[in-house]
Amino acid sequence: MCGIIGYTGKKNCVPFLLDGLKRLEYRGYDSAGVFILQGGQIVTVRSVGKVAELEKMVLQTNPKGTTGLGHTRWATHGKPSEENSHPHTDCTGDLVVVHNGIIENYLSLREKLESRGHKFRSETDTEIIAHLLEENLLHVRASDDEDRLIKAIAKTNKALSGAYAYYVMWTRTPYLLAGTKVQNPLVVGIGKEENFLASDVPAFLQHTRKVLFVEDGEIVIIKSSSIRLFDKAGVEKSRKPVKIDWDQKKIEKGGFRHFMLKEIHDQPQALEDTLRTEREGFGKILNLDTTGLRKLHTVHIVACGTAYHAALIGKYYIEQLAGISTQVELASEYKYRALVPATNALAIAISQSGETADTLGAIQKAKEAGFGTLAICNVKGSSLTRLCDHVFYTHCGPEISVASTKAFTSQLVALYALALFLGQSNGNISRGFFEKSYKELLSLPKAMDEVLKLEYDVRHLTRKIYKEKQFIFLGRHVNYPIALEGALKVKEVSYKNAEGFAAGEIKHGPISIIEKGTPVFILMPEDRLFEKMVFACQECRARGAFVVAITTKAGAKQLKNIADKIITVPTTNELLQPVLDVVPLQILAYWIAKRLGCDIDHPRHLAKSVTVE
Ligand code: F6R
């Protein structure tokens, strides 16, 4: 959904911009550009494709300046072409705007602006912001150019509808950058004699960990040694910066070829970091209103994509451990259904980024219907964390790969702990059961280390199957969402057709797609459903499938002549088993994509945070 970085300071901004763009590339990679104030003029270098292409062009033109902006685009309006690449300028060319998000009323605004003589050079919604600012700069009353810019932005925002963050550079105020946002992220990095504006913290993390989160409607002005914040009416206000605890190592590949593989291997640490703070975290959250929680009789969970798969498993956790009726819904669907107003009800939103537009819309709806709200989120200060009554942070560090891995398993441990705490506070589980289960939860990082040792085996397996035209995943109960997640992982990074099904459903239709040699991955730990899964194995094999069983040690012994290949994962309790079972599927997706030569960290058509509906 576009990545933006801005720098103003004493040094040449170009290396800061290029490095920041590379770190934001997960947000979009259709085209990229940098725009630098050089000798009172705005110099623009832009190219279609990834930041590497832009870098080549920058080397040729060698622009220099101490204030500049960079943008990497995920196309919404207008195809990925040079004229649609950012930045966009007003008619004078003295003002540039870069933008992330969507301006919903851009067609009507464009018509009006054109009728007033503005000349458009692109098909984008961004360009209307530049022309609106051009007009408003002429019409607001102000004490100086900086004041004029702030007032013009406030006035422009009143005309815009949609979710956006935009950044402005103006030749009349060459020492500053301005930014504003509504439902899209905008963070300020506070350095020494240099400051940054960006869509996400990794863009400047190697230079500063001191961060200021800008809120909806606010306007921020950064100069090399000062930051000014204004409310939507243009009145100055202040906010304390926060210190981000992510370190530089967490945003590097650390010897791995791709972030996806690195993040798969980060999982033991991610779980440990999440669990370390979890007990205290949920204790604090739940103590806020223990009586309310005792009465809680409905939980709704909303999320998208991989986080939705975590939510599906969360339902099993909360219903089984806390005895509370739980509904899970795709956030994009939840927003548009009739919601019965509720009391004693909690809505949980799960999101790695905390910026997913659909999830934000869904939790807002639940809030309006009287639900208490809890965010399970990985990004401090993100929109979701500000919207919800309570926040529980997963601590898996920045997730850079577009395909989510460590955020998913961290969300699962968070949900399990939540269910345990709820069950304990409403008396659904005993103290002894709580302690035993919590111990099992704490043993997961070690088991995760073990499961990662399967990489060699899984990688070897992909050599045999990576050219197959389709992949099927089957699971039951808590492993059904893992089948969905395995299929999603394969689809998004290798572009192969992959489907996940509830094992009991295949005979109701899906079995017909099995052909000779179709790889079918069956999640079948040795538990009370094991025998039923053995039937599924046999049904698929009888139709020519190449059956891979993902099982535990006790299951492996029984599957010798039933599956074509057995992958043995460590055993934990039935509800936690999916946390381990998903790992071989993540590795599988990675290695299929790697063998096919796919751009794993930047899968086609995708972006990491989906900040538009
Ligand atoms: C899949 C993936 C997406 C995200 C989804 C929600 O690997 O990354 O499906 O899970 O877009 O994103 P968040 O969790 O940031 O709300």
Side-chain angles (χ1 to χ4, degrees):
M1 304 294 113
C2 301
I4 303 174
I5 166 88
Y7 172 94
T8 183
K10 304 271 184 238
K11 299 179 193 141
N12 180 14
C13 64
V14 177
F16 291 93
L17 300 182
L18 287 175
D19 184 65
L21 285 181
K22 281 185 209 153
R23 296 181 192 283
L24 291 174
E25 218 170 14
Y26 69 87
R27 300 178 66 87
Y29 26 86
D30 290 333
S31 61
V34 286
F35 336 109
I36 294 126
L37 262 166
Q38 186 173 302
Q41 302 278 313
I42 293 168
V43 177
T44 293
V45 187
R46 55 189 190 177
S47 73
V48 175
K50 293 174 69 178
V51 179
E53 295 307 312
L54 174 71
E55 202 168 13
K56 285 184 209 152
M57 294 181 69
V58 168
L59 273 177
Q60 286 163 20
T61 47
N62 197 20
K64 282 198 178 81
T66 53
T67 301
L69 287 166
H71 184 274
T72 173
R73 176 167 187 247
W74 189 80
T76 52
H77 292 85
K79 58 185 186 299
S81 62
E82 204 189 319
E83 54 287 8
N84 287 337
S85 305
H86 289 231
H88 296 286
T89 60
D90 64 347
C91 296
T92 66
D94 289 340
L95 177 137
V96 300
V97 172
V98 291
H99 157 235
N100 169 30
I102 287 186
I103 307 299
E104 282 165 3
N105 55 342
Y106 93 105
L107 281 175
S108 61
L109 287 173
R110 182 170 174 145
E111 230 173 75
K112 283 185 205 150
L113 285 160
E114 279 177 333
S115 71
R116 296 201 288 263
H118 289 268
K119 295 272 171 289
F120 280 76
R121 300 181 191 90
S122 75
E123 301 161 9
T124 67
D125 53 346
T126 309
E127 201 181 336
I128 61 124
I129 305 174
H131 292 284
L132 269 179
L133 279 170
E134 179 186 358
E135 284 196 350
N136 291 334
L137 281 168
L138 290 175
H139 295 131
V140 292
R141 272 211 232 145
S143 53
D144 57 22
D145 282 333
E146 184 174 330
D147 187 38
R148 183 174 299 284
L149 184 59
I150 296 157
K151 290 189 170 140
I153 292 174
K155 189 158 184 215
T156 299
N157 288 359
K158 282 195 197 139
L160 302 175
S161 65
Y164 56 82
Y166 70 86
Y167 305 49
V168 187
M169 196 160 70
W170 189 26
T171 51
R172 299 273 289 268
T173 52
Y175 46 87
L176 66 79
L177 291 173
T180 185
K181 61 147 278 184
V182 173
Q183 288 171 38
N184 260 256
L186 169 59
V187 288
V188 181
I190 305 169
K192 279 200 187 102
E193 299 205 309
E194 60 189 15
N195 289 308
F196 303 83
L197 287 182
S199 323
D200 198 0
V201 173
F204 52 70
L205 192 61
Q206 60 167 326
H207 311 295
T208 179
R209 283 198 265 159
K210 212 164 144 195
V211 171
L212 188 86
F213 291 99
V214 179
E215 299 200 348
D216 282 356
E218 290 177 343
I219 300 159
V220 66
I221 297 286
I222 64 162
K223 300 181 201 165
S224 60
S225 43
S226 70
I227 285 153
R228 298 180 71 197
L229 190 65
F230 300 85
D231 70 10
K232 64 176 184 217
V235 177
E236 193 152 8
K237 62 196 287 196
S238 64
R239 172 160 322 119
K240 259 193 169 172
V242 291
K243 192 136 186 253
I244 293 285
D245 55 8
W246 295 351
D247 64 29
Q248 177 63 18
K249 264 200 262 149
K250 289 191 176 159
I251 57 164
E252 303 290 356
K253 286 192 197 139
F256 289 94
R257 195 175 287 195
H258 295 98
F259 278 111
M260 181 177 178
L261 192 59
K262 184 220 171 216
E263 288 164 7
I264 290 172
H265 283 268
D266 276 349
Q267 287 178 109
Q269 191 62 49
L271 296 195
E272 201 167 316
D273 291 346
T274 299
L275 286 168
R276 197 179 312 130
T277 44
E278 189 148 89
R279 195 159 187 161
E280 201 210 339
F282 274 122
K284 258 198 218 151
I285 293 164
L286 301 180
N287 279 339
L288 286 175
D289 187 6
T290 318
T291 7
L293 284 170
R294 282 207 191 104
K295 285 198 240 144
L296 198 65
H297 60 69
T298 306
V299 171
H300 287 187
I301 318 182
V302 290
C304 299
T306 288
Y308 169 71
H309 297 154
L312 289 174
I313 297 176
K315 172 183 163 76
Y316 292 96
Y317 291 174
I318 296 171
E319 292 193 333
Q320 190 160 323
L321 298 173
I324 303 170
S325 162
T326 303
Q327 285 182 31
V328 178
E329 201 157 326
L330 288 165
S332 52
E333 291 296 316
Y334 190 85
K335 275 194 303 185
Y336 298 105
R337 73 148 149 117
L339 191 57
V340 181
T343 48
N344 298 325
L346 178 71
I348 304 173
I350 307 176
S351 173
Q352 187 285 128
S353 62
E355 300 295 346
T356 302
D358 288 324
T359 308
L360 292 172
I363 203 74
Q364 178 65 39
K365 178 171 178 148
K367 210 172 178 179
E368 284 159 15
F371 284 72
T373 51
L374 167 68
I376 296 182
C377 185
N378 196 43
V379 179
K380 245 192 193 169
S382 55
S383 305
L384 183 67
T385 64
R386 292 196 301 270
L387 190 59
C388 289
D389 307 326
H390 308 299
V391 182
F392 178 78
Y393 285 106
T394 47
H395 289 269
C396 64
E399 193 181 61
I400 310 279
S401 158
V402 168
S404 181
T405 53
K406 62 179 179 174
F408 177 69
T409 46
S410 302
Q411 287 157 359
L412 291 182
V413 300
L415 284 161
Y416 187 82
L418 170 69
L420 281 180
F421 275 99
L422 285 174
Q424 199 196 12
S425 58
N426 68 11
N428 197 59
I429 54 171
S430 67
R431 177 93 216 157
F433 184 86
F434 175 96
E435 290 302 338
K436 177 180 157 286
S437 307
Y438 210 90
K439 230 171 158 180
E440 284 161 350
L441 189 61
L442 292 177
S443 69
L444 279 182
K446 202 152 169 254
M448 188 64 95
D449 266 328
E450 280 305 300
V451 88
L452 284 168
K453 293 185 186 150
L454 289 169
E455 184 174 351
Y456 179 80
D457 203 19
V458 176
R459 173 181 170 175
H460 189 73
L461 167 69
T462 57
R463 192 184 294 170
K464 180 177 163 61
I465 58 172
Y466 77 100
K467 286 191 181 147
E468 291 296 331
K469 77 166 198 231
Q470 61 173 351
F471 297 84
I472 294 172
F473 297 84
L474 302 181
R476 234 182 152 122
H477 192 246
V478 280
N479 267 314
Y480 164 45
I482 297 299
L484 299 178
E485 176 60 8
L488 177 62
K489 286 287 92 85
V490 170
K491 258 185 262 200
E492 65 181 328
V493 293
S494 74
Y495 322 140
K496 286 276 183 179
N497 188 27
E499 295 293 341
F501 300 108
E505 273 297 295
I506 50 159
K507 53 189 175 299
H508 299 291
I511 201 163
S512 63
I513 66 175
I514 292 179
E515 292 173 358
K516 191 168 183 305
T518 299
V520 178
F521 293 81
I522 307 191
L523 295 141
M524 47 188 311
E526 215 270 346
D527 60 15
R528 66 200 157 102
L529 294 168
F530 183 75
E531 280 176 8
K532 303 214 178 291
M533 297 304 288
V534 170
F535 290 141
C537 263
Q538 285 161 333
E539 284 161 4
C540 294
R541 220 165 167 216
R543 279 139 188 106
F546 176 76
V547 169
V548 182
I550 317 259
T551 186
T552 46
K553 210 164 160 194
K557 280 194 203 133
Q558 302 171 56
L559 286 170
K560 285 223 169 84
N561 298 316
I562 295 175
D564 296 292
K565 165 86 189 156
I566 299 168
I567 293 173
T568 311
V569 296
T571 314
T572 175
N573 75 37
E574 180 182 281
L575 291 181
L576 286 175
Q577 196 62 48
V579 182
L580 303 176
D581 293 348
V582 74
V583 179
L585 304 188
Q586 296 169 339
I587 297 172
L588 175 89
Y590 174 84
W591 278 102
I592 292 174
K594 175 85 173 52
R595 291 192 191 284
L596 291 169
C598 300
D599 190 349
I600 295 174
D601 284 335
H602 306 116
R604 70 181 179 204
H605 314 319
L606 296 179
K608 181 74 179 157
S609 338
V610 187
T611 53
V612 291
E613 253 196 73

